[in-house]
Amino acid sequence: MEKVAIDDVDIEVNPMEVHSVRRPISDALGFTDFAMNYFELEPDESFSGGMHTHYDQEEVFYVQEGTATFDTEEGEVVVDEGEVIRFEPGDFQTGYNDTDDRVVGFAFGAPKSQHDWEELESLVYCQECEEEIGHGLELTDEGAFRLTCTECENTFTLG
């Protein structure tokens, strides 16, 4: 058995600095098959760095306080306090705080992501193709993200 107070888990910020409070609960407790992250999002902050999918992980977000907005391939979805939203592997999504109030919530994933970058894809604008299209991700030694267009193989770096 393991136990931890959320406030005792160290804050780990996304390399793109899209949120100020992310506490990786699953790392603190040594989860092996399940991911759990606690978030506090100030206005204009997000859970991740943009529209993406995990081909190897199902994701669930629970909004404990406030209202989060998720952009999906089907359009915008508002998730209010006390509500849960689920994304199956392959569903593109990005969640963020589009209000003036703080959002507190949890992100759950199964199986626990090992950040297999070959199984993660971001939907971003490609300067070469001139459209929003899937890009593969690679984490560089400097902690930035290198994105490669799945259509034309154009590469650029964020962060």
Side-chain angles (χ1 to χ4, degrees), residues 2-65:
E2 299 288 329
K3 176 183 170 183
V4 68
I6 290 173
D7 288 342
D8 291 341
V9 176
D10 290 337
I11 293 173
E12 185 177 292
V13 179
N14 179 294
M16 293 169 36
E17 299 179 0
V18 296
H19 47 255
S20 49
V21 176
R22 174 184 170 268
R23 297 179 190 271
I25 307 300
S26 51
D27 291 349
L29 293 176
F31 292 14
T32 58
D33 302 316
F34 174 72
M36 178 180 178
N37 293 292
Y38 169 86
F39 288 90
E40 294 177 12
L41 303 180
E42 296 302 324
D44 299 319
E45 290 187 337
S46 67
F47 291 102
S48 66
M51 188 76 108
H52 72 284
T53 187
H54 298 268
Y55 289 108
D56 62 346
Q57 184 184 52
E58 174 177 41
E59 286 188 288
V60 175
F61 294 85
Y62 166 67
V63 177
Q64 181 179 1
E65 177 184 313

Side-chain angles (χ1 to χ4, degrees), residues 99-111:
T99 71
D100 293 331
D101 300 316
R102 182 177 74 155
V103 170
V104 175
F106 291 87
F108 306 98

Side-chain angles (χ1 to χ4, degrees), residues 78-110:
V78 173
V79 181
D80 291 318
E81 185 172 308
E83 293 184 331
V84 178
I85 188 168
R86 172 191 173 262
F87 298 98
E88 63 183 62
D91 285 349
F92 280 93
Q93 56 84 14
T94 185
Y96 53 92
N97 182 357
D98 195 28
T99 71
D100 293 331
D101 300 316
R102 182 177 74 155
V103 170
V104 175
F106 291 87
F108 306 98

